[in-house]
Amino acid sequence: MSARKPLRAGLIGLGSMGRNHARVLNSLEGVELVAVADPVAGADSAPAGVPVVRTVGELVAKGIDYAVVACPTALHEEVALDLAGRGVHTLIEKPIAPSVESAETIGRAFRERGLVAGVGHIERFNPALRELRTRLERGELGDVYQVVTRRQGPFPARIADVGVVYDLATHDIDLTAWLTSSRYESVNSATVSRSGRPYEDMVAFVGHLSGGVVTSHLVNWLSPLKERVTIVTGEHGCFVADTLTADLWFYANGSQPTEWEGLRQFRGVSEGNVTRYAIVKREPLLVEHETFRDAVLGKEADIVTLEQATGTVAVAEAVLSAARSRTAVDLTPGRPLASV
């Protein structure tokens, strides 16, 4: 029995994230990176031996089975529709598009042609968050009460076409909905712009999720402290995931009563044991690509669907709208919501 031929993959975009996609695709088992399309990148920007072409048409002419879109968000619709029209399965870097309308247009194009398509919300493939979701599904936390995320650090010069909500907060919107198997029902927010760019570089927002979970998110490009933390609090304690280091801790509610009366008055629960889990730490981008490769091969694979990614964009739009209006935005009636 002959071995299966490698899937032939193409990449659009050789920016900062595109080069990471190129690195992973070039060594991905069962996949051959046959070419990269970028109108301005030099040949030395791609992995050795991989040609650089200028257009999507030239890339598809190389005979590809699927493509990865890593160009600026503003170009996602144009490039994705071109690929869908040519019958190419496609993985699109997050966010799927700069608006819900654009995201829905992309979704229709791939659905109508029966193509495999997904979006690269990479945090779903972080080992700490995957372990956390597994433990939540087992009921180890009991009822979930709250999800808190902090994602802050210095401004990345690579970002020019969107603000911090679309570039960073979409990570937290997606991972929160995914971890809790919930969707956002309302959001309220505030933004700040201090870097002289036309987009916001700091946002703080809160939300209510279906099922009664509350959530809050702090995201910015204005801090010298780089932080990527997700805290899920529930009936039995709280999980703390650091997605920079892929570490996961569990802080249990204590089983021993607090005898010190002064402390007992201020505590809803008592402090218990703290556990740091030993988990296998594989590169999230590699796992993301393995998952999409398997989907293209027709295997069962938990990719981020275009519908889910469109829901995330809907919440991002609501966050920006709430900041402008200084009022909460209701996401429940007839809106595509972030869900799993």
Side-chain angles (χ1 to χ4, degrees):
M1 187 175 191
S2 60
R4 182 192 294 271
K5 290 183 179 180
L7 290 172
R8 294 172 62 82
L11 171 67
I12 296 97
L14 270 174
S16 177
M17 195 64 201
R19 289 192 295 273
N20 280 315
H21 282 292
R23 170 181 56 81
V24 172
L25 283 167
N26 199 44
S27 60
L28 185 61
E29 183 179 356
V31 172
E32 177 188 1
L33 177 60
V34 297
V36 178
D38 191 299
V40 297
D44 58 349
S45 300
V50 177
V52 177
V53 299
R54 297 304 172 202
T55 68
V56 171
E58 291 177 85
L59 181 67
V60 175
K62 295 287 185 180
I64 60 174
D65 297 302
Y66 74 96
V68 177
V69 176
C71 57
T73 302
L75 299 176
H76 281 189
E77 181 180 349
E78 175 187 345
V79 172
L81 293 182
D82 195 355
L83 290 166
R86 297 173 188 271
V88 179
H89 306 303
T90 303
L91 174 65
I92 305 168
E93 185 51 67
K94 72 87 205 156
I96 179 176
S99 70
V100 171
E101 181 181 7
S102 178
E104 290 176 338
T105 299
I106 293 170
R108 281 194 300 271
F110 282 95
R111 281 195 305 273
E112 289 171 356
R113 292 163 178 81
L115 296 168
V116 178
V119 178
H121 279 283
I122 195 170
E123 291 286 42
R124 291 203 193 189
F125 304 95
N126 187 287
L129 293 180
R130 289 169 80 85
E131 179 73 12
L132 171 52
R133 188 173 195 250
T134 296
R135 292 181 179 276
L136 291 176
E137 289 176 336
R138 289 178 190 159
E140 294 184 15
L141 194 60
D143 289 340
V144 176
Y145 302 151
Q146 181 186 55
V147 179
V148 174
T149 68
R150 299 193 303 271
R151 186 177 301 269
Q152 53 187 344
F155 173 69
R158 63 182 176 82
I159 300 299
D161 62 333
V162 293
V164 75
V165 170
Y166 270 88
D167 185 60
L168 288 187
T170 47
H171 282 303
D172 297 300
I173 293 166
D174 179 74
L175 74 85
T176 297
W178 174 70
L179 283 174
T180 60
S181 300
S182 303
R183 61 184 187 176
Y184 282 76
E185 293 190 334
S186 68
V187 292
N188 204 347
S189 65
T191 59
V192 169
S193 181
R194 290 287 186 267
S195 62
R197 300 171 65 252
Y199 304 103
E200 78 290 342
D201 41 38
M202 174 180 283
V203 62
F205 64 102
V206 296
H208 285 88
L209 307 181
S210 58
V213 176
V214 296
T215 184
S216 67
H217 310 284
L218 174 63
V219 189
N220 75 65
W221 282 325
L222 299 176
S223 171
L225 166 68
K226 188 169 184 178
E227 187 177 37
R228 304 285 187 269
V229 175
T230 299
I231 303 170
V232 183
T233 302
E235 183 180 4
H236 303 313
C238 72
F239 285 105
V240 179
D242 184 330
T243 54
L244 280 177
T245 60
D247 287 319
L248 178 65
W249 292 268
F250 178 59
Y251 291 75
N253 292 344
S255 58
Q256 299 298 322
T258 301
E259 296 182 0
W260 185 358
E261 180 65 27
L263 288 181
R264 189 162 60 224
Q265 292 176 0
F266 292 99
R267 290 187 176 175
V269 297
S270 59
E271 294 176 354
N273 294 328
V274 180
T275 303
R276 178 182 178 276
Y277 297 104
I279 56 179
V280 176
K281 297 181 179 181
R282 302 185 68 224
E283 183 184 0
L285 189 60
L286 173 60
V287 179
E288 177 182 287
H289 275 285
E290 289 175 342
T291 303
F292 192 75
R293 172 203 63 195
D294 290 350
V296 173
L297 290 172
K299 300 179 181 180
E300 185 175 348
D302 188 20
I303 64 174
V304 183
T305 68
L306 302 190
E307 292 76 15
Q308 292 165 359
T310 299
T312 295
V313 172
V315 177
E317 280 191 353
V319 168
L320 291 173
S321 177
R324 287 191 298 268
S325 65
R326 298 192 177 187
T327 59
V329 173
D330 185 354
L331 282 159
T332 52
R335 293 288 302 273
L337 306 176
S339 61
V340 298

